[in-house]
Amino acid sequence: MSINSEYTIRQEQPADFSAVENLTREAFWNVYRPGCLEHYVLHCYRSNPGFIPELSLVLEKDGEILAHVMFAWSEILVDTGEHLRMMTFGPISVRPDMQRKGLGKMLLDYALERARQMGAGCIAMCGNIQFYGKCGFVTATSKGIRYADDPDGDAPYFLIKELTPGFLDGIRGSYRDPEAYFVNEADADEFDKQFPPKEKKVLPGQLG
């Protein structure tokens, strides 16, 4: 669909896979670690049952892909033992020279509305509240949801957004990232060989 006179958002197609993976690689290279894994996570996730093809979306201008986001089904383990189905997303990638122009928010706002229409009551993810707060995310602990990898901490980077008002009322539980987000680094390095060579660098601010 056209969202204004300049940009179009549409579902990713198989012919886009290589370009989207390269975009993701460019967007994340040396950001959180030397090199990156995100393009390989995306590559592998497309064959996972939790992958949501309808929410693997590209934003383009004049037929050139500038941004991409991927969504997946996930769940909250409620303290009463139930499993509450919901969604997560990521990676979300914007071409480096087009970052900080509002394209990521434009794409994510559209995708979140689509997710709501598809029945997702809420979305949980890890990210920077300064950015994602603009899209309506709050710290998950403020909604009673703990991050399984940091159950005793405030986890200010663990965020949540209700797409259905009141969806989390009375809910207490924990969330763990879907297993498919964790990939073998050696396999990722092998996959990366099909892309143009890039130097891995240790930079300030990386997670390690």
Side-chain angles (χ1 to χ4, degrees), residues 114-126:
R114 287 283 303 275
R116 185 192 67 79
Q117 294 170 4
M118 292 180 65
C122 74
I123 306 283
M125 50 81 68
C126 291

Side-chain angles (χ1 to χ4, degrees), residues 79-100:
D79 289 348
T80 56
E82 302 156 326
H83 294 260
L84 185 63
R85 196 176 193 226
M86 32 79 79
M87 289 184 187
T88 187
F89 74 87
I92 179 169
S93 309
V94 178
R95 202 173 74 184
D97 65 320
M98 296 299 292
Q99 292 175 4
R100 297 177 178 82

Side-chain angles (χ1 to χ4, degrees), residues 143-158:
K143 292 290 187 178
I145 308 303
R146 306 177 301 277
Y147 192 47
D149 290 338
D150 188 15
D152 299 320
D154 291 334
Y157 51 86
F158 176 45

Side-chain angles (χ1 to χ4, degrees), residues 53-64:
E54 299 89 342
L55 291 176
S56 185
L57 300 170
V58 297
L59 180 149
E60 60 183 9
K61 179 180 179 181
D62 300 327
E64 187 173 6

Side-chain angles (χ1 to χ4, degrees), residues 21-70:
E21 289 164 6
N22 190 63
L23 166 72
T24 303
R25 182 179 187 250
E26 291 292 326
F28 283 95
W29 194 260
N30 291 333
V31 173
Y32 296 115
R33 56 183 292 128
C36 73
L37 300 175
E38 284 81 359
H39 58 317
Y40 185 58
V41 170
L42 170 61
H43 175 78
C44 295
Y45 223 121
R46 291 195 190 98
S47 60
N48 186 278
F51 178 70
I52 306 172
E54 299 89 342
L55 291 176
S56 185
L57 300 170
V58 297
L59 180 149
E60 60 183 9
K61 179 180 179 181
D62 300 327
E64 187 173 6
I65 295 174
L66 304 178
H68 170 264
V69 66
M70 183 203 96

Side-chain angles (χ1 to χ4, degrees), residues 33 37 40 183-190 200:
R33 56 183 292 128
L37 300 175
Y40 185 58
V183 296
N184 182 280
E185 293 187 25
D187 292 341
D189 285 341
E190 187 63 29
K200 292 184 179 181

